[in-house]
């Protein structure tokens, strides 16, 4: 649930980028941070764990309007991808308002995507939340690698594996080069704000 800061006149919404290790979560946030630096009011904070890291920053996208007269501050987080940091992942998910699940399009990573989505579902369950109750957008990352002849999972396979029940919006993207990174972010922000407006009505 979003935090309402009466003193600042803000609603703080938390969006978490989740997915398997080395799938592109951090690269998404780094791209967004570089692109919207003028609207980002804080430094990007990196919490390093051995061999992995969690990132977060927040920004005030003025053009998205207000909720009940409150400005909207969006906080973007990533979780560490490695399974051994599951406690950190759970912690980052506390109070989440929207999720971007970043799937790795590499053919060899099919199993990791499926396990990571199940892990997300399990971790949300510890907060009595269900994947179907929370705004979620799927991003099929690394599509640019097709040009290099690297075997990728076809989109319909990713859809079958990850999106049969959720029926969530999805984007084919390249977090490294930028295609559909901003579109993914904008979609989850719109969905999250719609959800919060219904909750706060």
């Amino acid at each position: 649930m979003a935090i309402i800061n009466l003193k600042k006149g803000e609603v703080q919404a938390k969006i978490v980028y989740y997915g398997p290790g080395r799938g592109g979560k951090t690269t998404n946030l780094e791209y967004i941070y570089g692109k919207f630096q003028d609207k980002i009011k804080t430094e990007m904070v990196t919490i390093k764990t051995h061999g992995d890291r969690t990132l977060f920053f927040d920004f005030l996208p003025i053009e998205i309007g207000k909720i009940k007269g409150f400005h909207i501050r969006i906080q973007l987080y990533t979780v560490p991808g490695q399974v051994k940091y599951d406690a950190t992942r759970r912690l980052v998910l506390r109070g989440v308002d929207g999720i971007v699940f970043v799937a790795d399009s590499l053919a060899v990573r099919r199993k990791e995507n499926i396990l990571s989505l199940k892990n997300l579902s399990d971790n949300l369950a510890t907060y009595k939340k269900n994947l179907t109750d929370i705004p979620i957008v799927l991003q099929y990352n690394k599509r640019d690698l097709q040009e290099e002849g690297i075997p990728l999972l076809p989109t319909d396979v990713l859809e079958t594996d990850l999106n049969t029940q959720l029926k969530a919006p999805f984007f084919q993207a390249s977090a490294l080069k930028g295609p559909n990174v901003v579109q993914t972010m904008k979609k989850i922000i719109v969905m999250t704000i719609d959800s919060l407006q219904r909750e706060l009505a």
Side-chain angles (χ1 to χ4, degrees):
M1 178 64 195
I3 296 165
I4 298 173
N5 188 326
L6 294 171
K7 196 174 175 184
K8 289 185 177 178
E10 286 178 356
V11 172
Q12 293 175 6
K14 182 179 189 178
I15 291 170
V16 175
Y17 280 64
Y18 208 96
R22 300 187 307 281
K25 302 177 298 296
T26 299
T27 313
N28 263 277
L29 258 67
E30 286 172 341
Y31 183 87
I32 292 162
Y33 191 82
K35 189 138 182 93
F36 294 100
Q37 247 172 335
D38 56 323
K39 292 179 186 170
I40 294 167
K41 308 300 178 192
T42 60
E43 291 295 309
M44 181 156 57
V45 179
T46 306
I47 302 164
K48 289 198 176 176
T49 38
H50 302 288
D52 217 330
R53 54 196 175 144
T54 298
L55 294 181
F56 69 90
F57 59 83
D58 62 358
F59 70 113
L60 220 52
I62 303 301
E63 71 277 3
I64 60 174
K66 297 180 178 183
I67 295 178
K68 291 189 166 292
F70 290 92
H71 289 289
I72 302 155
R73 181 180 292 274
I74 305 289
Q75 298 183 314
L76 297 181
Y77 284 76
T78 63
V79 295
Q82 292 183 42
V83 179
K84 61 182 173 179
Y85 302 119
D86 203 39
T88 308
R89 290 188 204 159
R90 262 197 310 278
L91 200 61
V92 173
L93 281 174
R94 183 185 289 166
V96 66
D97 299 298
I99 293 167
V100 174
F101 185 83
V102 182
D104 193 326
S105 290
L106 293 177
V108 294
R109 304 281 284 157
R110 186 178 183 183
K111 185 182 173 188
E112 283 83 353
N113 289 327
I114 295 166
L115 289 174
S116 185
L117 189 65
K118 185 186 182 308
N119 175 260
L120 169 59
S121 181
D122 292 345
N123 281 337
L124 283 173
T126 64
Y127 297 112
K128 296 181 170 51
K129 286 191 175 188
N130 194 303
L131 258 181
T132 52
D133 302 332
I134 196 162
I136 185 167
V137 172
L138 301 185
Q139 184 191 84
Y140 303 142
N141 189 30
K142 303 187 183 176
R143 301 314 294 182
D144 56 304
L145 294 178
Q146 197 141 23
E147 297 158 18
E148 296 175 33
I150 295 168
L152 299 185
L153 293 162
T155 307
D156 57 349
V157 171
L158 287 159
E159 280 285 279
T160 302
D161 285 351
L162 308 172
N163 208 13
T164 304
Q165 287 178 301
L166 291 174
K167 296 180 171 43
F170 72 91
F171 292 89
Q172 299 188 62
S174 166
L176 199 60
K177 296 183 179 175
N180 280 336
V181 172
V182 173
Q183 289 82 345
T184 302
M185 180 196 70
K186 284 184 175 175
K187 185 67 177 174
I188 192 58
I189 288 174
V190 167
M191 289 171 66
T192 301
I193 289 167
D194 283 349
S195 171
L196 292 176
Q197 280 178 321
R198 286 195 300 274
E199 279 183 41
L200 298 169

